[in-house]
Structures are given as structure tokens and as C-alpha cells.
Amino acid sequence: MGITAPAPALRLLSGRRGLMLVTILFVNFVVWLDSAKFSLLNPFWSADLHLTPVQISSVTASYLLGYFPLLLLAGVLADRIGAKQMLIICVIGVTVLSATMAFVHTYGEMWWRNFVFGIFFGFLWAPSQRLLSVWFPGALGARATSTWMSSTLIAGVIAPAIALPLANHLSWRDAFLIVAALGVPALVLLFVFTANKPEKMRGISPDEVLQIRAEHHGAEVREKLTFRELAAALKNRSVLTMVIATGLATTPTWLSGPWLPYGLITLEGVNPDTIAWVSPFIALIPVLFGLINGTLVARFFGGRTRPWLALGPACGAIGFILGVVLHDSSWVVWGLFIGAFAFLCDPMFWGTVNSYWAGIARPEVTGTLNGAAAALQVAVGWFITDLSGNWVDTSATGRAQLDTIWIVGAVLFAVAIVPVLLSREVRVHQAVAAAPPSGPSHVRTPEVAP
């Protein structure tokens, strides 16, 4: 009996699906860069439009008000019509809305512009997750999703270096127009290098299609599901508890968007050019962590996802509390805990929950499940962001004015851990290359633990 040599480990960026992944990463980077610079330039547009803290929080929250209903709708449409089509709608809308900032001159115009922007932005999240689940099963999917999560976070690394110098030396409107231009190549890449399922990718080899099928452990992955099948997935108790957990786990990070730059530039008086080169180093921490998150999930806790999903919001709570305790410390240290340590929750939670959905249900419903969870998350985010302007304590001095905001965020982080622990366990295993099509599959897909 001959001995078969072990197949090499699968790589994320190999074959046509590697090009698809690069496209998804670039599209998400461009769209999130557009969103990141809005919050980052808060001190500029709020001063130009003469807005109060309450109006600032209202304008920021209007984007979330448009965003959260579309998250669920886009997820369902991605599963029923196609994720690629949803991403094309997203990029076109975000690009046009970013360019319209040149024509905003009043509080009302800013509110409505941001509201409509949030609608188009809602077509990004769940369709991206859906494509990754179909193209990257098992632990390879955890690596792909974590890498994708980093592409959303890296926008926060790059945004200060791009947006702040432009706003400081030209105008904040110029910053929006320049970033809007990146939507054109993103749209071209979407048309050329994405497909709703491997069989429909132009130029993909039959061997690569068979490889992806083997990684799904023989299960047929369909391009479209019926509404009855989508609704059935929502009846699972662990799906419902994890949807609730997802709705709370990363919600407090929305508070950092408007109030972290406000605390540094408006309250602390830090030069925007200084923040432009210091902020990327702070924001790079969660980005780099996201690149190894998938590997850590597969290697620690026996591949169990639930402990990792609980650790994410725990880091968020600790980061916000330390931001309160250290509000009189160096602004770099303050920003490190609020903008980096607390943000570890994003790659740890969002970089893992997709594998949880695929294990507790099936890959084809990840669009709907991610849409439902993200919609709840943004709905709560809209609620607390809209109220957050009332929590600014103008009787305090410096960054202490924002302490109540961080305390509320820390409490939400902590509460999110409870539904995670109430959810059923899902384990992911490190994937290896599949055997030839004629032989048995050696790929281990997510398992639901008893």
C-alpha cells in the first residue's frame, strides 16, 4: 500500500478566488475609507457649519439611521439575488454621495446627505460576508474573514494621513472629492473579478472549482435560497442569541468615530497634522491583529469560537474604562486604549462570527444572518450615537467631558458577553488541501459541539 504525501496547506491568495478576495478587500477599504474620513473630519465640518455637540451627534447618527434597515435587506437580497449585484449598488451609491459633499452648506443638507449615504453603505457588509462564506469554507474562511475585517479597519489607519492634511491645508470638501475617485477602480474590479459562486467566475479552472467544492465537505452550495429556507435559519435558538450578541458586541465602537477626534482636536487642541502621523500607528494595532485572528481561532481553545467571541467585547470594555481612568494622561495613551485596545473587539468578533454562522447554519444563509445581526448592531449604534451629544459634560475640563460616553460604551461591551455564553459552541478546524477529486476529502469543516 503506497503512502500519500500530505497536500500543501491552502493559501488565501491562490487561484481566481485569490483575485476575488483582493477585490473584496479593496472594495471594503474604499467604502470604509469614505466612512472613516467623515468622522475624522468632524472638527472641520462641524466648525464650518457651526454645529453644536447635539447637532454633531444627530448628523453622525443619521448615517446609521439610513444604514441599519438596509443591512438586513441587503443580506436577504444577497442570498436571493446575488451578493455581487449588491456590492455594485453599494460602490456606485457611496461614490456619488461622497462627491455630493461639495454641495453641502447647512445642517439639514448634511443630515440628509449622511442619511442617504448610510442607505448605500448598507449594501456592503452582508454581501461581502456571503461571498467569503461561499468561496472560503471552514478555518480557511476564518482566515479570509479576519483578513477582510482588517481591510475595513485599515481605512482608519490610512484615513488620517489622507484626510487630515487635505482638510488642514485645502478644505474638508476636497478630501471627500479625492477619496470619491477611488470608487471607479473598485467598481471595475467588482465587474471583472467577482462572482456569486465559483462556477460563474470567468477564467476559473475546473480543478479550482472542485477544490472549493471539496472544502465544503461535499455539501452543495447553492447560489440562491428560498425565503422559507432563510426564515428557517432564524428559528435556531443559538442563531437568535448570537444575533443579539452581535447587535451589542461592537456597537460602542461607533462612539469612537465622532468623539475620539473631537476629544483630540476640539477639546485637547492637538494639531491635525500631528494626529495625521500618530493615529495610523495607533489604528494599525487592531489591523495587524486581524491578520492573525483566524489562525488564533483555529489554534486556541481547540478551535472553539465562543470563547474568542466573548474575549472581543471584554477587550472593548477594558479599553473604554481605561480611557476614563486615564483622561488626564498623555493624549497618545488615551487614544491608544480607546482607538486601539477597545477596537480589538472588531477583528476578534467580526473576524470570527462568520465561521460561527457557517457552522451553526449553512454558508448560503450568512448574508441573511450577518444582515440581521449587523442591522441590530447599527440600530443600537444609531440610538446611542444620537444620544451621545447629551452626555458631553461641559462642566468638566478637557477630555473628561467625554467620560460618560466611554462608560456607556463599556457597559454595552460587557452586556454583549452574556448572549455569547448562552449560544451553542461551534468549532473550526485548520483546513488542509483536499485530496484529488477521485479520492476522499480531507477537509474538516466547522462542527457544532454538543
Side-chain angles (χ1 to χ4, degrees), residues 133 136-138 216 352-366 369-370 426 428 445-448:
S133 291
F136 297 92
H216 281 288
T352 307
V353 76
N354 211 38
S355 294
Y356 186 89
W357 296 136
I360 204 71
R362 55 190 292 178
E364 299 98 318
V365 298
T366 52
L369 297 183
N370 273 290
V426 169
V428 294
T445 53
E447 297 177 357
V448 180

Side-chain angles (χ1 to χ4, degrees), residues 1-26:
M1 182 174 67
I3 299 176
T4 303
L10 298 174
R11 294 179 298 170
L12 286 178
L13 298 180
S14 62
R16 282 282 168 170
R17 70 172 169 185
L19 293 174
M20 195 278 299
L21 178 59
V22 169
T23 298
I24 296 300
L25 298 182
F26 182 71

Side-chain angles (χ1 to χ4, degrees), residues 51-121:
L51 304 185
T52 66
V54 172
Q55 288 176 318
I56 292 172
S57 63
S58 177
V59 165
T60 305
S62 69
Y63 143 67
L64 301 176
L65 185 61
Y67 184 30
F68 83 81
L70 266 295
L71 283 165
L72 176 57
L73 178 61
V76 173
L77 292 177
D79 291 338
R80 286 286 295 126
I81 298 175
K84 176 178 179 177
Q85 291 85 334
M86 300 304 105
L87 292 178
I88 290 172
I89 292 173
C90 171
V91 173
I92 292 175
V94 165
T95 300
V96 171
L97 265 295
S98 182
T100 62
M101 286 296 280
F103 308 104
V104 172
H105 296 285
T106 67
Y107 164 71
E109 290 172 352
M110 178 68 87
W111 196 98
W112 283 106
R113 176 268 168 200
N114 221 26
F115 174 78
V116 177
F117 178 90
I119 291 176
F120 284 103
F121 190 55

Side-chain angles (χ1 to χ4, degrees), residues 171-294:
S171 77
W172 60 270
R173 300 178 195 278
D174 292 326
F176 278 88
L177 288 171
I178 291 171
V179 173
L182 294 175
V184 177
L187 194 59
V188 172
L189 289 174
L190 271 177
F191 275 107
V192 178
F193 293 121
T194 59
N196 290 321
K197 58 187 304 186
E199 293 85 343
K200 291 197 170 184
M201 171 70 81
R202 85 178 57 169
I204 194 171
S205 68
D207 288 342
E208 188 173 356
V209 173
L210 289 174
Q211 171 71 67
I212 297 170
R213 285 179 179 172
E215 292 167 25
H216 281 288
H217 209 54
E220 179 191 0
V221 177
R222 306 209 311 271
E223 182 178 5
K224 300 176 183 179
L225 296 177
T226 65
F227 284 115
R228 178 175 296 180
E229 290 172 309
L230 298 179
L234 294 172
K235 295 180 181 179
N236 186 311
R237 183 183 67 84
S238 291
V239 166
L240 294 177
T241 53
M242 193 57 75
V243 165
I244 294 171
T246 310
L248 299 174
T250 58
T251 296
T253 58
W254 291 111
L255 296 171
S256 299
W259 300 117
L260 185 57
Y262 184 86
L264 295 176
I265 298 175
T266 304
L267 299 180
E268 190 73 15
V270 182
N271 189 311
D273 288 342
T274 302
I275 297 176
W277 65 267
V278 174
S279 284
F281 291 101
I282 294 176
L284 193 61
I285 295 173
V287 172
L288 293 177
F289 186 89
L291 296 176
I292 62 172
N293 180 73

